Amino acid sequence: MTASLSSMVTSATERDALNRSRLEIGFNLAGCVLIAYQVTIMLLNLGDYPALPFTIAAWVILIATLVIGLVIHRRYSEHLPTGLFIGALAAWAVVVALDIAGTWNSGDQGAPPTAAVAVGAALLLCVTLRPPRDIVITSIALGIILAGAFALHGQHDPFALGPAFITIALSVAPPLLGVQIVRSLRTVVQLELDLVQVQSTVSSPRFAVGMMASEELARLDLAAERLLDGVATGRTPLPLDEHTASEAASIATELRLHLIQGRRETWLYHAVTESALLGPAVTVSDPDGLAGLLTRDQRDGLLTAIWLLISDPVRLGQNQPRELQVTLERRIREHGMDSSAGIHIPITISATGVPRNGVDPAAWQAIRKVGRYVETFSGTTLRIDIESVVDNPADL
């Protein structure tokens, strides 16, 4: 189990690195296109700059920082150090000031800022290397500075306001959209990894320990092995001293506790409690451990249905959080019922905050794998009663 958990973490790291590298390629291409577009605008308006040397100096500094960043990126491919990022921000602040000075002119005359707008494209290149908060704050500050510059120009032509808004949007929108894309991708990757983790419990025995307990059992096993090896080799004298005897008693007590828990906790309990998504929203009531009697297909269907009911995106205007109560109870055998027909396990799923018409069709297909079902809707609660039939373990 430890090896599988380690391989899962390794694959998660590799997948995250792969997704980040793909995003970087896309952001780099988009940033280069935006910068080339701003260079084209500057070349088309060379005769309108009241102080062209300032704008040229701004572009020289911006390009120099991008070249330096390209060289540094080979060394810091996953995270840009804070000191280097602050240094880049300081250089870009100079770029913005020089470009505004180069385009400054009272009234509606003059050329639009270009190097200052290209700073937004440069921020887009840092989206995968810095926390989202740094990019968002810097982008908003850049937009405020450009808006203030346009306001201080004293523009009076209403038709000049449209280009001004477009210029501000070109500087602010790319990095903000990049942050949103990165957040969405990370959410999707985390959901996929969480689903893979909980699906690994489907093939577990009826009663078993979870991944977290397996790590703890590995630690206890190592401690017990060291203690017994010390006694066998004579490094630990007999009778045991008080400290060593206390450690041995503690190990034995923890092992007994894990053994008792392993006889009460089913795969469904571990799938819910060890999931970052299902744990806070799903409650399982299965005092008799009936979930362990379900077949592999029934387990997969039940877990998939629970997952889809919780992970389905919340619609606009829906403020109530989604909560699920899963109850498995033993049905008392009626007189004359054939014992060879299997065991009937009633399963009830009470979902709060799930709209009836908002359930993914795949969830109903997954429930059909568990057994026959009937759904009822009352207020804000969707109740699904499933009649599941499993083989009687006494007949196996």
Side-chain angles (χ1 to χ4, degrees), residues 34 56 63 76 79 155 160 195 213 232 244 291 295 330 364 374 380 383:
L34 291 173
I56 294 178
I63 294 176
Y76 304 100
H79 183 76
Q155 293 179 337
L195 178 59
T244 307
T295 64
R330 184 182 298 274
W364 301 118
V374 177
T380 60
R383 179 186 174 97

Side-chain angles (χ1 to χ4, degrees), residues 39-266:
V39 171
T40 303
I41 292 179
M42 183 195 68
L43 295 177
L44 293 176
N45 295 274
L46 285 178
D48 298 331
Y49 283 92
L52 184 58
F54 287 101
T55 297
I56 294 178
W59 273 108
V60 170
I61 296 176
L62 178 61
I63 294 176
T65 57
L66 293 178
V67 172
I68 295 174
L70 180 62
V71 175
I72 294 178
H73 179 62
R74 297 181 179 179
R75 181 177 180 182
Y76 304 100
S77 58
E78 296 184 358
H79 183 76
L80 184 63
T82 303
L84 295 177
F85 182 67
I86 293 177
L89 292 182
W92 293 339
V94 175
V95 169
V96 173
L98 290 174
D99 195 31
I100 292 177
T103 59
W104 187 267
N105 197 358
S106 179
D108 303 322
Q109 304 298 321
T114 53
V117 178
V119 170
L123 287 173
L124 178 62
L125 305 180
C126 301
V127 167
T128 59
L129 303 176
R130 292 297 304 175
R133 180 181 58 183
D134 296 347
I135 305 299
V136 171
I137 293 176
T138 307
S139 301
I140 294 176
L142 176 61
I144 293 175
I145 292 174
L146 291 177
F150 279 114
L152 293 176
H153 274 181
Q155 293 179 337
H156 305 289
D157 186 3
F159 294 100
L161 295 178
F165 287 130
I166 293 176
T167 300
I168 296 173
L170 287 175
S171 65
V172 176
L176 294 182
L177 288 176
V179 169
Q180 184 60 35
I181 291 174
V182 171
R183 285 180 172 177
S184 300
L185 180 62
R186 286 176 178 172
T187 300
V188 170
V189 171
Q190 289 175 357
L191 288 177
E192 289 182 353
L193 292 176
D194 196 63
L195 178 59
V196 171
Q197 177 180 336
V198 298
Q199 281 185 333
S200 65
T201 62
V202 171
S203 58
S204 302
R206 179 180 179 183
F207 297 103
V209 296
M211 287 187 178
M212 304 304 177
S214 297
E215 295 288 335
E216 182 67 15
L217 284 174
R219 183 188 65 82
L220 294 174
D221 179 70
L222 179 60
E225 182 180 350
R226 289 177 177 175
L227 179 62
L228 294 176
D229 182 70
V231 173
T233 57
R235 289 184 289 103
T236 302
L238 293 176
L240 300 178
D241 57 75
E242 183 178 353
H243 178 69
T244 307
S246 177
E247 289 184 353
S250 177
I251 294 173
T253 301
E254 293 185 46
L255 286 173
R256 283 195 296 268
L257 290 176
H258 281 291
L259 179 62
I260 295 174
Q261 290 177 351
R263 297 301 300 172
R264 295 183 303 174
E265 299 171 351
T266 64

Side-chain angles (χ1 to χ4, degrees), residues 314-358:
V314 179
R315 296 186 175 184
L316 293 176
Q318 182 182 352
N319 298 323
Q320 186 177 9
R322 297 192 175 188
E323 296 181 354
L324 259 69
Q325 172 73 37
V326 183
T327 304
L328 294 87
E329 56 186 8
R330 184 182 298 274
R331 170 169 291 180
I332 300 177
R333 180 177 298 177
E334 299 177 359
H335 180 69
M337 182 178 294
D338 187 6
S339 61
S340 62
I343 300 177
H344 291 254
I345 303 177
I347 303 175
T348 302
I349 301 177
S350 298
T352 304
V354 179
R356 185 175 186 177
N357 58 352

